[in-house]
Amino acid sequence: MKYLGLYFSGTGNTKIVCLKAKQELEARGHSLETVDVIKDEVKSLEGYDGLFVFYPIYGFNCPKPVIKYVKKIKKVSNKIPCVIMKQSGEHLFWNNASSLYLTSLLKRRNIVLHNEFHYLMPYSFIFRHTDYMAHKMRTVMEGLLPLDLDLFLKGKDVRMKRFLFDRTFAFVLRIQWWGGRFNGLFYKVKKNECIKCMKCINDCPAHNIRLKENGKFKFGYQCLMCQRCVMYCPKHAIKVGLFNSWRVDKPYTFKEAQFEKESHPRYCRKNYKRYFEESENRIAESKLN
Ligand SMILES: Cc1cc2nc3c(=O)[nH]c(=O)nc-3n(C[C@H](O)[C@H](O)[C@H](O)COP(=O)(O)O)c2cc1C
Ligand code: SF4
Ligand code: SF4
C-alpha cells in the first residue's frame, strides 16, 4: 500500500516518530511518502491508500501549520483511511481533543479517521527532561509504534475517548492562535552571547526572525512557539518572552544515560507511571506471542 505522511516538528521529536513509522511500514512492504507541512508543496491524495498525520501537541491542540496544510488538500473522490500519530510531553486525557478540528477538516475531504495513537516524548517547553527519561520515552515509543501500526494494518480501529472538558480546554488553549504570536513579540537575543551564526533565522519555520541593519534581532508576529530557535541556539542566547523560565535550551540526544532525578519529580508522576507500565506490559506481551 502507498501512504502519505504529513508532519510538523518544532524541535525534532515528531520527525523521529514519523521516520520510525516510515521504517516500520517499509519493513512490512508498504511505502510512506513524508511531507514536511512547512517546506513541501500541498499534495493531492488521489492514488494514495491512506494518510498518516504526525504532530506534537501544543497547548492541547494540533499545530497551526498542520491545519493550514490540511485546509489546502483537495477532497478525494473515494474515501481513504487516516491514522493520527501525535506525541507530547504528557499523556493526559486533556490532550485527546487536540485532533478534533483536524479530523473534521479531513472528513470533509473524504479522509476518514481510523486510528489515533499518542506517544510520550520529552518536553520542548516547560522544563527539560533528563537524558535518562528522554531515552526511555523514545525507546517505549519505538516499541509501541510497530504494535499500533499492526492494529491499523489488520483493520482494527483505535479512537481516543473524548471528555466534556477536554474540548473546552482545547478551544481556550489554542496557544498558537493568540498567546504564541503575542509572546513571540517579546523574544530577545542576549547580544553579548550571540555569535551571529544565523541558525535561528535560517531554521525558524515561520520566518519570524530577522536581523536589522543596526545589528539587532527582530521577532515578528508569526511565532509558532515551536522552540526550535531556542533549543538549537548554540549559545543559549534566546530569551522566550514572558515564558522564559519554561525554555528548554539544549537538544535531546536520546542516548542511553544513567538514572537521574527529574527536575520536577512530582510533575505528572502518576500519569507517566501508568503510561510506562501499560506500554511496557504491552510490548513484553507482544514478544511472548
Ligand atoms: C508551545 C508548546 C505547547 C505545548 N503544549 C503541550 C500540551 O498541551 N500538552 C503536552 O502534553 N505537551 C505539550 N508540549 C510539549 C510538546 O508536545 C512535546 O515536547 C513534543 O515532543 C515536541 O515535539 P516536536 O519536537 O516535534 O516539536 C508543548 C510544547 C510547546 C513548544
Ligand atoms: S542561533 Fe543563537 S547565536 Fe546564532 S544568531 Fe541566533 S541567537 Fe545568535
Ligand atoms: S521564532 Fe523561534 S519559537 Fe517562534 S516560530 Fe520561529 S523558531 Fe519557532
Side-chain angles (χ1 to χ4, degrees):
M1 295 286 190
K2 186 177 153 200
Y3 298 106
L4 191 73
L6 308 182
Y7 74 90
F8 170 76
S9 187
T11 59
N13 292 347
T14 311
K15 195 167 177 187
I16 292 174
V17 177
C18 172
L19 294 179
K20 177 69 183 166
K22 181 178 169 71
Q23 182 196 5
E24 293 294 331
L25 277 166
E26 285 172 0
R28 288 159 178 74
H30 306 289
S31 72
L32 181 75
E33 192 181 326
T34 58
V35 171
D36 178 338
V37 297
I38 292 284
K39 289 190 196 145
D40 298 333
E41 301 262 297
V42 178
K43 291 266 206 182
S44 159
L45 265 290
E46 298 293 349
Y48 289 95
D49 298 296
L51 176 72
F52 280 71
V53 185
F54 304 88
Y55 69 83
I57 298 171
Y58 284 174
F60 306 101
N61 279 280
C62 170
K64 217 170 164 183
V66 179
I67 299 292
K68 268 180 152 175
Y69 187 101
V70 169
K71 279 184 177 170
K72 289 185 204 149
I73 294 178
K74 289 213 174 85
K75 187 173 175 179
V76 276
S77 38
N78 295 314
K79 279 186 183 167
I80 58 166
C82 171
V83 178
I84 291 179
M85 290 190 163
K86 54 196 181 184
Q87 54 80 32
S88 79
E90 76 240 347
H91 211 257
L92 298 173
F93 69 83
W94 295 327
N95 286 313
N96 288 7
S98 69
S99 56
L100 274 177
Y101 186 40
L102 172 70
T103 45
S104 75
L105 288 174
L106 289 169
K107 200 171 162 191
R108 279 181 239 158
R109 286 155 181 81
N110 260 345
I111 305 164
V112 185
L113 181 70
H114 279 225
N115 298 70
E116 189 169 5
F117 304 109
H118 183 182
Y119 306 107
L120 199 53
M121 286 292 271
Y123 268 135
S124 55
F125 199 39
I126 306 182
F127 66 90
R128 191 175 194 282
H129 284 285
T130 59
D131 290 338
Y132 171 85
M133 184 60 118
H135 176 259
K136 184 170 171 164
M137 287 178 173
R138 180 172 178 170
T139 309
V140 168
M141 178 279 290
E142 290 184 337
L144 282 182
L145 192 147
L147 307 180
D148 291 339
L149 212 50
D150 285 337
L151 290 177
F152 164 65
L153 294 171
K154 284 177 191 157
K156 290 188 184 160
D157 292 0
V158 177
R159 304 277 168 78
M160 301 251 140
K161 279 189 191 152
R162 309 273 187 228
F163 300 87
L164 183 65
F165 295 115
D166 57 5
R167 286 165 195 257
T168 320
F169 242 74
F171 184 76
V172 176
L173 288 166
R174 290 172 304 157
I175 203 160
Q176 290 180 326
W177 274 257
W178 49 275
R181 285 160 67 116
F182 177 70
N183 181 61
L185 294 171
F186 297 97
Y187 276 44
K188 291 256 169 336
V189 170
K190 294 184 234 166
K191 69 170 190 231
N192 297 341
E193 284 159 49
C194 171
I195 51 169
K196 301 253 164 70
C197 66
M198 303 296 141
K199 188 163 177 49
C200 55
I201 294 180
N202 295 335
D203 291 354
C204 171
H207 306 292
N208 192 50
I209 316 172
R210 67 183 178 88
L211 187 60
K212 294 197 293 186
E213 277 175 10
N214 63 7
K216 286 191 178 166
F217 284 81
K218 168 95 180 136
F219 289 83
Y221 192 54
Q222 301 302 326
C223 182
L224 299 166
M225 264 193 134
C226 74
Q227 303 306 301
R228 191 182 295 175
C229 57
V230 180
M231 190 181 267
Y232 291 97
C233 166
K235 292 291 174 186
H236 317 302
I238 300 177
K239 290 173 85 177
V240 192
L242 309 172
F243 294 93
N244 199 39
S245 58
W246 284 9
R247 70 192 187 138
V248 176
D249 58 7
K250 193 172 135 206
Y252 294 101
T253 63
F254 292 102
K255 286 192 186 134
E256 200 163 358
Q258 290 284 323
F259 174 77
E260 216 187 309
K261 208 169 163 187
E262 291 274 303
S263 58
H264 293 65
R266 297 184 67 79
Y267 184 88
C268 280
R269 197 173 46 156
K270 282 192 189 154
N271 182 263
Y272 286 176
K273 191 167 174 270
R274 192 173 59 239
Y275 173 81
F276 286 128
E277 273 174 11
E278 287 175 5
S279 307
E280 283 166 349
N281 285 342
R282 214 178 131 207
I283 295 165
E285 272 170 29
S286 76
K287 284 183 183 154
L288 294 176
N289 296 330

